Structures are given as structure tokens and as C-alpha cells.
Amino acid sequence: MNSLLKIFFSLLIVSFIGCSSTSISIQFRDNLSKKTNHILLNGKIAQFNNDSLYYIDGNISIVDGKIDSILTEIPPHYNIESNITDLKGAYIYPGFIDAHAHFLYQGLALKSIDLSGTKSWKECVKIVEDFIKNNPNEKVYRGQGWDQNDWEIKEFPNNSSLEELSSNPIILSRIDGHAILANSIALRQSKIDINSVIKGGEILKENENLTGLLIDNAQSLLSIAKPTNEEKSEALLAVQKKAFKYGLTGIHEAGLPSEDIILIDELQKKKKLKMPLYVMVSESPSEMNFWIKSGPLKTNLLDVRSFKFYSDGSLGSRGALMRESYSDRENHFGFEVRSTDYMKSAAERLYNNGWQMNTHSIGDSANSRMLTIYKLFIDPLKKNDLRWRIEHAQVVHPDDRLNFGLGIIPSVQPSHATSDMSWATDRLGPQRISYAYSYSSLRKSSGGILPLGTDFPVESMNPLYTIYAAISRKSLDKGSKESFQIQEALTREQALIGMTRDAAYASFQEKEVGQIKVGMWANFSIFTSDIMKCPEDSIPKLKVSETWIHGEQVYVNHVK
Ligand SMILES: [Zn+2]
């Protein structure tokens, strides 16, 4: 730009002071004089058109972490002083967002005893034993990931084989976080004994002795020292690193107490934690008092505007609340973690104060009662934009499913279907399984909104596994070639939209993230292959080439 023009534009900008900021930014953009922080050259830029996807061959300029322009050609006078990345024809997708995960818990799990993928309880005990031998000075031994449904003997374990291993507490969480096996020392220190009682959960007993197994609300009775803030900070940074590798640029953290939310905010302000997080507050009367008084929290990286509730437990540990008895346990209907009256009055409080309600509901009874409660607050005529969410929406009776059409959001995890397919029919029987994990039907009922997540660490963090599970309905681990209820599969585009545009919508962030559009955060997951066209079986093996968050390249892996 020649100097005369520069003076002209400076005057123009000065003359705009006092006008709306939009006017100024339009002037900047039209004149292409604003300092560009970064330009991504030669990308295939994914764009959504309703439920379809097309690519623009072009370039993206980034200013202050946001997409400033998408250009098919770079004008010769464009102000490129800074960084240029030549993508050499790579595919740029909107950054993946996991719409339901446990980020901190996954971070802590990275440092604990990993019992996932074990084939027997005996194998678990050996792993715990070896860990204790190698780490003799731990005050508390924590493990996670066991799943009795994967074992030959598909029964809950008891703590007798843990007793000899250590004189310190041992706490082993089931893969879904809905059951814990604790050794006697852990139970004693927590004052849990044969006379302890709990609502909305179960303390398992055998011949008038505790087995050490605590289900759902019973887990809250354990009062063993929690991880310190330092340990939590380390865990968050460790899991962030892993998340970047998988192309994740946003996480919906499905439930944390205030103390952890404050820690996250501090780490983000120190620029150590770069992962944008939409955090649901773990509900309790005192948390509701605190947050309703202080109001929602919104920064560039943190969004707190919702509460996470539990309506029931999980199917794997028979805690999911069912209308009819479990097919594999007579006269057992699961657990009502919170009463209907409690849920109703909490919903009213949230509604009156403009908060979003997100409720874990797995069983058909849990889903039915929560949809009925949500409906009390939705006025179809006024179209109030509550975006209240049902987390998991796993076993939803077809009659209840129609309620999602009122603007209630089903937030689902496609890899749950393929992980559970080998045993879910045992729990539900042939009739109820026919309307379980019905993702395509749920999407139709909700008017095309279906945010997708993994629920990690319950499932792998890799978003490509979610795409694969959603489109193929095949299990990766079990080497099965059979698809589970293939009529409920999503298209590749729908799966990608679920992890980007729909996830953004479910957190009220659709103007900020979820698509590659001018004005949105420059969050990208970049691949050298076309995820929409590559062979289906190759999807889980694809590697992320680059991950960008707020205009910063946070991960790069250029395989030559
Ligand atoms: Zn969860």
C-alpha cells in the first residue's frame, strides 16, 4: 500500500472511533491492511452445507486467533509479514469437539493403575500387585478401567484378593465410573460397614460381609484423600497433550466441582492449559447456590453455564433405571440417583436463572422421566431456547424419543454402542435392545442435532473411533465384522457434524466454533487424507497431521 493510501486509511479508522466496532473491522478487512498473524496456504477447507460437506481449495488468514478470511487466491498486496504454513493440499476440518468427556478424570487415569482391556479379574490383581511393587510409597493406590463384561466370568469382583497386597487403601474404578471396588482399609477409613445404607446406589454384600463393591451413590461414601491441586494440574497438562494428538480442540467436561473449575481457569489464564473447555458443574444444592448467585463464567477458553445431573446409573453395572426389570437380574430396575421431586425443583431453579440442565439418563425410565420434566419448561409456541441436554440418551422408548423434537438435545457416544453390543442384549432382552443406541432415529427426532462424544476415559479419546463407530456400528477391539443395528448408523458427514457444529450448538458456541467461517476461532484438525472418502476401515488408523487452537499450532506430525 502506498503511503498516501496509508494516511487515508489511518484517517478513515480514526474517523470510525466511536462507531460500532463492526464498522471498523469491516474497514480493516476490506482494506486488507490489518496485521495477519498467520496464513495457512493450499488447504482443502471443509465447509458444511446443511448435512453435506464440500471443500474450498484455498487459504485461511488468521488475526488474533480468529479466522479473518478464506481466500481462493492471496491478493498480491496482502500484508503477510508473519508466519505462513503451506498445507500442500491437506484437508482442514473444523477442530474436533468432544461433546461429553471427563478431561480431568482421564488425566488422573493416565497416572493410575490401568485395568482397561483386561480379560479376567486375576489379570487385574496381577497388574495391581506389580504396580504396588514398583511404586511402594504411594499413600493411596488408584486404578480404573476394569469391566467384568469383558471377562470370562462376567461377575463383579470382590476385594478378598486385594487384602494381602498393601496396608494402604486400594480403590479400583469400573470403566464407566459407576462402580468402585475398595479394599477393607479403604472401607474402614471411610467408616463404611455392614450397617451402612445409601439411597440411589448399592453396597454389595455376600454372606453378611461387604464385598468392597460400591455402586453409584455408594461411591460417595468413600472418604479417601483426594488428589492434590498439583497432581490435578499435572494430570490436566498430560491429558491436554494427548488430546492435541487426536485433533481435539474443545471438550465438554461432563461434571466438575467448583474447586476444579477454578483450578482450570487459573491454568488457562497462565496459558498452560490451552484446551477450550465447556464445563458442566457437578450439581449439588451448595453448588447451585454458589453458581446461581455468582452467574455463568465465560472466558475465551472456559464456558460455565450448565449443571450436570445424574438421573440414573450405567447399564454395565445395572444402575440404569428401567421401566421393566433387567433381563439378567430379576426384580431389579436400576437406581434413581436423584428423586423426581428433586429433579423437578432443580429444573425450575435452573430455568428461572437461565442455566442449562444436562442430565445423565441411560435407562428407558430415566429418559422418560427427564423428558417429562424438561417438557414442563419448554414452551413450543414461545420456542424458548433452553437447549437442555440428555447425556447418553441410551435406551429411549420410541414414544419418548419424539420429545427431542421440542428442542431437547440428545448428546450421545457412538462407541458405547459398539463397546456394549456383546452384552447389552443380556441386560435388556430382545425387545428393548431394538430401541437402544438409536442414533440415527434420535437425530431425526431432534431435527438434525446430535452432538457426539466419547465419555473418555470410558472409551478411547480418539475422535476417529467415534466416526468409525457411528458409521460402521462395528467394534474395533473385538475384531467383530458384524454391524450392530446398522439401520441406526450415521453418515460420515453427520458424524463429523456431530463432533463439530452440533457440539458447538449444544454449548451455545455455534457462533464461535464448530465450523470454518470468518469470525470464528481458528480451530482446526488437519489430515492428509479425505475422511469423507477414504476406505471405512482406514478411518481409525488415520493420524492427525496438525491441530490448531485459537490460531496456534498446538500439534504437528508430518509423516514423510
Ligand atoms: Zn460421562
Side-chain angles (χ1 to χ4, degrees):
M1 196 183 297
N2 69 41
S3 50
L4 248 177
L5 264 178
K6 264 186 191 164
I7 292 165
F8 170 71
F9 282 126
S10 310
L11 286 170
L12 192 67
I13 289 160
V14 169
S15 73
F16 266 100
I17 292 173
C19 300
S20 77
S21 57
T22 333
S23 312
I24 295 175
S25 90
I26 288 166
Q27 285 301 315
F28 272 125
R29 198 165 291 143
D30 288 350
N31 299 325
L32 298 171
S33 62
K34 192 157 48 170
K35 185 161 184 231
T36 304
N37 306 125
H38 214 113
I39 292 202
L40 301 185
L41 286 180
N42 305 317
K44 291 190 187 305
I45 305 162
Q47 300 287 301
F48 299 128
N49 178 18
N50 296 323
D51 266 7
S52 63
L53 182 145
Y54 65 96
Y55 297 103
I56 296 175
D57 284 321
N59 318 293
I60 298 174
S61 73
I62 299 167
V63 175
D64 297 335
K66 292 192 171 166
I67 300 165
D68 190 58
S69 52
I70 299 169
L71 305 159
T72 45
E73 276 177 38
I74 301 282
H77 57 287
Y78 206 98
N79 179 2
I80 309 172
E81 285 174 12
S82 43
N83 304 312
I84 299 173
T85 301
D86 188 349
L87 292 175
K88 299 178 179 151
Y91 296 81
I92 313 180
Y93 297 98
F96 296 150
I97 303 166
D98 193 312
H100 181 119
H102 301 274
F103 196 60
L104 174 58
Y105 186 45
Q106 172 76 67
L108 293 168
L110 293 176
K111 287 202 132 193
S112 68
I113 310 168
D114 182 10
L115 303 173
S116 58
T118 47
K119 295 283 167 254
S120 66
W121 171 235
K122 211 174 149 191
E123 189 186 342
C124 290
V125 175
K126 176 83 176 74
I127 293 171
V128 175
E129 190 179 4
D130 290 348
F131 186 94
I132 294 172
K133 267 187 202 150
N134 296 328
N135 302 272
N137 299 323
E138 301 280 315
K139 289 195 183 82
V140 179
Y141 291 98
R142 295 174 198 277
Q144 55 77 39
W146 61 268
D147 183 353
Q148 85 281 10
N149 294 314
D150 289 344
W151 303 341
E152 223 160 83
I153 303 165
K154 296 186 192 323
E155 282 169 16
F156 279 136
N158 71 48
N159 63 12
S160 58
S161 25
L162 300 177
E163 298 306 305
E164 299 292 301
L165 302 185
S166 173
S167 51
N168 289 344
I170 303 174
I171 302 168
L172 307 175
S173 290
R174 190 178 183 274
I175 184 129
D176 59 7
H178 285 268
I180 281 177
L181 184 70
N183 66 350
S184 312
I185 293 129
L187 296 174
R188 250 196 324 274
Q189 284 187 6
S190 309
K191 302 193 171 50
I192 302 170
D193 61 29
I194 197 77
N195 300 314
S196 304
V197 282
I198 188 77
K199 263 191 174 177
E202 200 172 7
I203 303 164
L204 253 59
K205 291 162 196 162
E206 225 173 62
N207 307 324
E208 289 309 300
N209 288 314
L210 296 181
T211 71
L213 203 95
L214 309 168
I215 301 177
D216 287 318
N217 281 353
Q219 299 177 100
S220 65
L221 299 173
L222 271 180
S223 54
I224 302 299
K226 292 193 176 121
T228 61
N229 271 1
E230 207 181 335
E231 286 166 327
K232 286 180 190 170
S233 301
E234 273 174 30
L236 286 163
L237 299 183
V239 67
Q240 160 171 270
K241 206 170 160 195
K242 218 173 158 188
F244 291 161
K245 194 175 128 194
Y246 291 131
L248 284 162
T249 65
I251 311 283
H252 294 189
E253 167 67 73
L256 284 182
S258 293
E259 62 193 68
D260 295 340
I261 298 174
I262 290 162
L263 177 71
I264 284 171
D265 189 31
E266 282 170 7
L267 284 175
Q268 287 175 332
K269 285 193 171 128
K270 284 181 192 157
K271 300 199 184 334
K272 288 185 179 168
L273 190 63
K274 296 176 178 180
M275 180 62 78
L277 294 166
Y278 156 90
V279 182
M280 310 175 199
V281 183
S282 290
E283 66 89 8
S284 71
S286 61
E287 290 285 18
M288 278 189 275
N289 289 343
F290 172 77
W291 284 97
I292 286 173
K293 200 171 163 207
S294 64
L297 172 63
K298 172 109 178 133
T299 71
N300 282 344
L301 290 173
L302 184 60
D303 217 322
V304 184
R305 60 172 302 147
S306 64
F307 283 90
K308 166 77 181 294
F309 289 75
Y310 282 90
S311 177
D312 64 348
S314 76
L315 195 64
S317 46
R318 295 185 189 84
L321 191 63
M322 305 304 301
R323 287 171 164 178
E324 306 289 332
S325 174
Y326 274 75
S327 300
D328 58 0
R329 185 172 166 190
E330 253 178 68
N331 277 326
H332 181 74
F333 299 83
F335 306 117
E336 197 176 82
V337 171
R338 287 292 198 190
S339 73
T340 301
D341 283 348
Y342 181 91
M343 288 297 201
K344 251 191 220 166
S345 70
E348 190 172 4
R349 220 175 152 196
L350 264 49
Y351 175 78
N352 288 334
N353 291 282
W355 283 76
Q356 195 183 4
M357 186 162 184
N358 304 340
T359 309
H360 164 117
S361 306
I362 301 256
D364 53 8
S365 175
N367 275 286
S368 184
R369 91 173 162 137
M370 287 320 299
L371 288 164
T372 306
I373 292 173
Y374 280 12
K375 264 166 67 178
L376 297 173
F377 302 93
I378 293 172
D379 180 348
L381 293 176
K382 278 190 199 160
K383 291 197 170 155
N384 50 2
D385 192 15
L386 301 183
R387 304 192 200 181
W388 284 7
R389 298 167 47 156
I390 297 282
E391 303 299 320
H392 310 306
Q394 208 156 288
V395 190
V396 185
H397 191 277
D399 295 344
D400 291 322
R401 200 190 283 149
L402 300 173
N403 290 315
F404 286 105
L406 297 168
I408 299 167
I409 299 176
S411 158
V412 303
Q413 300 74 37
S415 40
H416 281 353
T418 51
S419 291
D420 300 359
M421 60 196 244
S422 62
W423 53 263
T425 310
D426 297 345
R427 299 277 190 281
L428 298 171
Q431 212 262 324
R432 288 181 293 195
I433 193 76
S434 68
Y435 54 80
Y437 311 92
S438 302
Y439 304 139
S440 179
S441 300
L442 281 169
R443 194 175 194 275
K444 279 185 200 117
S445 303
S446 71
I449 303 281
L450 192 73
L452 304 183
T454 57
D455 207 6
F456 67 68
V458 179
E459 305 285 352
S460 159
M461 291 175 76
N462 192 342
L464 296 172
Y465 290 9
T466 298
I467 296 190
Y468 180 74
I471 66 170
S472 75
R473 309 271 295 185
K474 285 181 199 164
S475 164
L476 271 177
D477 299 339
K478 296 172 185 142
S480 161
K481 291 202 170 95
E482 296 238 332
S483 288
F484 171 70
Q485 298 177 347
I486 190 68
Q487 72 279 10
E488 291 295 347
L490 303 178
T491 66
R492 293 188 193 205
E493 290 80 3
Q494 288 169 343
L496 181 65
I497 286 168
M499 293 191 309
T500 53
R501 192 178 73 192
D502 288 351
Y505 179 83
S507 58
F508 289 89
Q509 293 172 331
E510 72 275 16
K511 293 203 171 85
E512 301 161 38
V513 292
Q515 297 190 67
I516 305 179
K517 276 189 171 178
V518 170
M520 289 197 174
W521 286 113
N523 293 356
F524 312 119
S525 310
I526 301 176
F527 290 83
T528 51
S529 308
D530 182 352
I531 304 176
M532 298 297 112
K533 295 246 168 68
C534 63
E536 184 175 277
D537 288 346
S538 74
I539 291 177
K541 294 174 210 139
L542 294 179
K543 298 271 181 272
V544 171
S545 156
E546 296 185 24
T547 306
W548 287 68
I549 294 180
H550 291 195
E552 182 186 343
Q553 185 191 56
V554 292
Y555 174 77
V556 61
N557 175 33
H558 290 164
V559 187
K560 297 230 167 104

